[in-house]
Amino acid sequence: MRTEKIPATVITGFLGAGKTTLIRNMLENAGGRRIALIINEFGDVGVDGEILRGCGVETCREEDIIELANGCICCTVADDFVPTMRKLLDRKDPPQHIVIETSGLALPQPLVRAFNWPGIKSRVTVDGVITVVDARALAEGRFADNEEAVQAQREADPNLDHENPIGELFEDQINCADMVILNKTDLLGGGGHDAVAAGLKQKVRAGTRVVPTRHGQIDVAALLGVGASAEDDLHNRLSHHEMEGEEQHDHDDFVTFIVPLGEVADRAALLSRIEATIATHDILRLKGFVNVKGSPARLLVQAVGPRLDSYFDRPWKAGETRGTQLVVIGEKHMDRGAIAAMLRG
C-alpha cells in the first residue's frame, strides 16, 4: 500500500509563453519516470495533446495524457479537476508524478487549494508551482506575446467566472510560483534578459527562483522535486484580490490619501524615493499609475510593506489623460506633507 504522496507540478503562464515546449522537454528527459499530464490550455487543447503524444518516448502513453476542455481549470475544479485526479490516483499503476498545464487564464491559487479536498490531500502534494513567462513580451511592456489571443481565449471560455485584467492574472501567477521560467531569452539582444530577470525578482515572493531559459530547456532535476507542499503554504501565496482586501476596512486608525505627481523623467529615481518614503514613514500600502517620460505604456506601482513591485501594465489609450497618482495607505498619524514631499523629491 502506497504511503508516500504523489508529487504534482502545476505549470501556469499565458498562452504562447512556452508551457507545452517546457513539458515536452521534460518528458524527453524524464529518465523513465512515469508522468501523467493534465492539459487545460483552453483554446489550444488538442494541439497540445498531439504535440506531447508525438514526443517519441514511453512517458507519452495515451492513457497518461488527459485533456480538460471544458474551460479554465480553476473555474471547473469540482466538475473536472477533482474527478480526474481521483481516477488517476485509483489506477492500479498510478503515476509517479503528475504535471498539470493550466489555461493561461487560470488563477493558480484556487487550483492549489483544491489539493486540500478530501480524498486528494492524503494522496497528492503540490511539489511546485512553475510559471512560464515570455521574456521578450515582458521586455516590451506586455504580459503575453499576443494579448489579443489571450482575450479571444477569455471570450471563448463559457465557464470562465472571473474577469481579472491581464495584469492581475500575471500578478497572481507569479505570486503563487515557486519558480518563474523566463522563457524565450534567445529573442532578446545581448544580455537583455538580465534587466527583465532583475525586474521579476523584485515582484516574486522571497525564495522564488527566476530561471532564464531558451526553448523551455531546463534540467528536469531542477523542475521536479521542488518539495514546496504548496497546498500547506497558501497564506504566503496571496492573490491580487486578497492583497487588495487587506486595505478595505473602515478602522479609524487608518487613512488613505492621494499624492499627484507630474510626468516622471527618471523611473529608477522615483522607485528609490518610494522605497525610502515607505521605510521612513511606516506606510502600509502604496499603489498607483505613473506617467514615465518617453514611455507609451503606464507604469503600475504597488507596495505592501517594504515589498515594491512595478511593471508597465498596458499602453496609454488614445485620448486618455496621462498622469501620475500614488495612493498611500497608513496609520492616521502619518505626516502627509512630509510623505508627499519625499515622493516628489
Side-chain angles (χ1 to χ4, degrees):
M1 183 176 179
R2 188 184 183 102
T3 57
E4 293 183 1
K5 292 185 179 182
I6 297 173
T9 298
V10 176
I11 298 180
T12 187
F14 290 124
L15 187 71
K19 300 190 298 292
T20 300
T21 302
L22 178 78
I23 294 171
R24 178 167 181 166
N25 288 332
M26 177 193 68
L27 293 177
E28 291 173 345
N29 296 280
R33 188 180 332 203
R34 294 197 318 277
I35 298 177
L37 301 176
I38 298 176
I39 305 171
N40 178 236
E41 186 51 286
F42 186 74
D44 211 16
V45 166
V47 175
D48 282 1
E50 290 305 315
I51 291 173
L52 293 168
R53 288 188 186 94
C55 70
V57 294
E58 61 183 14
T59 47
C60 294
R61 297 187 309 174
E62 186 82 19
E63 63 268 29
D64 289 335
I65 298 179
I66 302 167
E67 295 176 340
L68 301 184
N70 291 328
C72 174
I73 194 170
C74 76
C75 303
T76 58
V77 165
D79 295 331
D80 275 0
F81 175 69
V82 171
T84 296
M85 286 293 291
R86 286 177 174 157
K87 288 179 182 178
L88 271 178
L89 298 173
D90 289 340
R91 287 182 179 179
K92 292 182 179 179
D93 61 339
Q96 294 172 311
H97 202 110
I98 299 171
V99 173
I100 303 158
E101 179 190 5
T102 75
S103 158
L105 302 176
L107 302 171
Q109 196 215 59
L111 177 59
V112 173
R113 192 181 300 278
F115 281 81
N116 286 313
W117 278 52
I120 293 179
K121 182 173 178 59
S122 63
R123 304 166 73 185
V124 190
T125 182
V126 182
D127 179 63
V129 179
I130 313 297
T131 297
V132 186
V133 174
D134 186 321
R136 185 173 68 174
L138 207 58
E140 295 174 352
R142 292 173 287 112
F143 298 106
D145 180 58
N146 188 338
E147 293 188 352
E148 289 76 15
V150 174
Q151 180 59 31
Q153 184 185 31
R154 184 195 303 269
E155 294 170 358
D157 187 345
N159 291 318
L160 192 70
D161 62 7
H162 57 84
E163 298 183 358
N164 307 57
I166 190 170
E168 290 184 10
L169 284 171
F170 179 79
E171 182 181 344
D172 281 8
Q173 289 175 358
I174 64 172
N175 277 354
C176 198
D178 297 288
M179 180 187 300
V180 176
I181 302 293
L182 185 59
N183 196 31
K184 303 185 181 181
T185 56
D186 53 304
L187 301 181
L188 297 180
H193 72 270
D194 290 339
V196 180
L200 273 175
K201 288 176 182 177
Q202 294 178 0
K203 298 181 178 69
V204 300
R205 296 179 300 113
T208 299
R209 291 172 290 171
V210 176
V211 183
T213 62
R214 299 182 179 191
H215 308 292
Q217 296 282 355
I218 182 173
D219 191 334
V220 174
L223 194 63
L224 306 182
V226 175
S229 298
E231 71 277 11
D232 296 325
D233 186 43
L234 288 167
H235 62 285
N236 286 322
R237 301 165 189 264
L238 297 181
S239 69
H240 174 87
H241 287 296
E242 286 171 330
M243 293 175 68
E244 286 288 307
E246 291 178 0
E247 75 197 41
Q248 295 185 11
H249 49 70
D250 296 317
H251 201 288
D252 290 341
D253 290 338
F254 295 92
V255 8
T256 299
F257 63 95
I258 297 174
V259 178
L261 304 175
E263 184 181 68
V264 173
D266 190 333
R267 171 188 175 187
L270 173 65
L271 296 179
S272 293
R273 290 200 302 274
I274 290 174
E275 288 180 332
T277 306
I278 290 171
T280 302
H281 293 278
D282 293 326
I283 293 170
L284 300 177
R285 186 82 193 272
L286 182 147
K287 62 180 181 178
F289 298 109
V290 180
N291 177 21
V292 179
K293 184 177 181 180
S295 173
R298 68 182 189 181
L299 181 71
L300 172 62
V301 175
Q302 297 189 90
V304 179
R307 176 179 166 182
L308 175 63
D309 294 341
S310 66
Y311 53 86
F312 291 100
D313 75 322
R314 66 164 174 80
W316 292 101
K317 296 178 181 179
E320 183 177 13
T321 301
R322 296 175 57 140
T324 300
Q325 288 193 326
L326 300 179
V327 179
V328 180
I329 303 162
E331 295 186 26
K332 189 175 182 178
H333 62 73
M334 288 191 309
D335 187 333
R336 300 191 194 186
I339 290 171
M342 275 192 81
L343 290 174
R344 293 186 178 115

